[in-house]
Amino acid sequence: MKPLLLIDVDGPLNPYAAKPQRRPAGYTTHRMRPTGWTEAESRRPLRVWLNPDHGAELLALAGSYELVWATTWKDEANDWIGPHLGLPRLPYIDWPQMHGRAPRGTFWKTQYVLEYAGTREFAWIDDDIREPDREYTDQRHPARALLMRIDERIGLTQPDFDALARWAANGRTVKVT
């Protein structure tokens, strides 16, 4: 069974914290109104920066991983994000509670990521991963796990995709005949 690749949107795919009004190189601007982004909350649609090359990079990793959305966008990532990147509909983590309390100083998603992964190997890309999340995962997850913190000002870079490919390749056992 392939490991999971758990993909956050805001930060890794949408470098939302880059300097305002300065779209990072390679990104295109999209205006979106996902659920919760209503006219009453903001007169302007949500600005999302996406790099179309990320879709091809993620699809290349799909040979080694099962791709899964791990984002507060949940299934809406399939409607608003995936089409701009050329991604098929992906499964997603349906968070039981968002932005709630988390054990031992971890990010609120961490406990649910471990529940979703079960006993499977996984790599997780998110801008909110910190050392307590790595320690918590090391102590509680029975399989290999790679937690990659992505800078929310930069988004995913080629070295990140290369690291994900290497990690997946290093987990495979080679049968010698």
Side-chain angles (χ1 to χ4, degrees):
M1 190 177 303
K2 293 191 258 186
L4 300 167
L5 176 53
L6 307 174
I7 308 162
D8 183 29
V9 170
D10 295 315
L13 296 176
N14 171 28
Y16 68 89
K19 292 185 179 192
Q21 310 304 321
R22 292 184 127 192
R23 184 177 60 215
Y27 286 79
T28 56
T29 301
H30 305 274
R31 298 289 179 181
M32 302 179 182
R33 285 198 185 278
T35 300
W37 196 265
T38 63
E39 191 75 31
E41 293 175 79
S42 174
R43 295 175 63 199
R44 297 179 60 192
L46 176 65
R47 182 208 70 215
V48 177
W49 286 325
L50 297 172
N51 184 331
D53 294 339
H54 287 170
E57 293 289 348
L58 289 168
L59 288 174
L61 290 171
S64 301
Y65 288 97
E66 178 185 335
L67 306 181
V68 176
W69 293 119
T71 173
T72 57
W73 290 75
K74 300 196 290 186
D75 191 35
E76 286 191 277
N78 285 311
D79 300 323
W80 293 97
I81 305 301
H84 292 291
L85 300 178
L87 295 175
R89 291 192 75 80
L90 301 176
Y92 64 95
I93 298 176
D94 190 9
W95 312 108
Q97 180 180 351
M98 292 196 298
H99 310 289
R101 293 182 53 123
R104 298 181 55 203
T106 60
F107 177 42
W108 68 266
K109 286 183 184 178
T110 305
Q111 61 190 320
Y112 303 124
V113 161
L114 294 183
E115 285 177 21
Y116 186 88
T119 59
R120 291 181 68 179
E121 294 182 341
F122 71 89
W124 175 26
I125 52 176
D126 201 299
D127 60 305
D128 284 307
I129 293 170
R130 302 287 188 262
E131 195 53 37
D133 304 296
R134 289 184 182 92
E135 291 170 4
Y136 187 83
T137 300
D138 288 345
Q139 293 168 0
R140 287 172 173 73
H141 191 64
R144 277 185 341 135
L146 173 65
L147 280 65
M148 288 181 65
R149 184 189 182 287
I150 306 299
D151 189 326
E152 63 276 12
R153 297 166 299 170
I154 299 170
L156 284 163
T157 62
Q158 190 59 53
D160 298 322
F161 289 110
D162 294 343
L164 288 163
R166 275 192 313 275
W167 187 83
N170 288 337
R172 293 190 185 131
T173 55
V174 178
K175 187 175 182 179
V176 179
T177 56

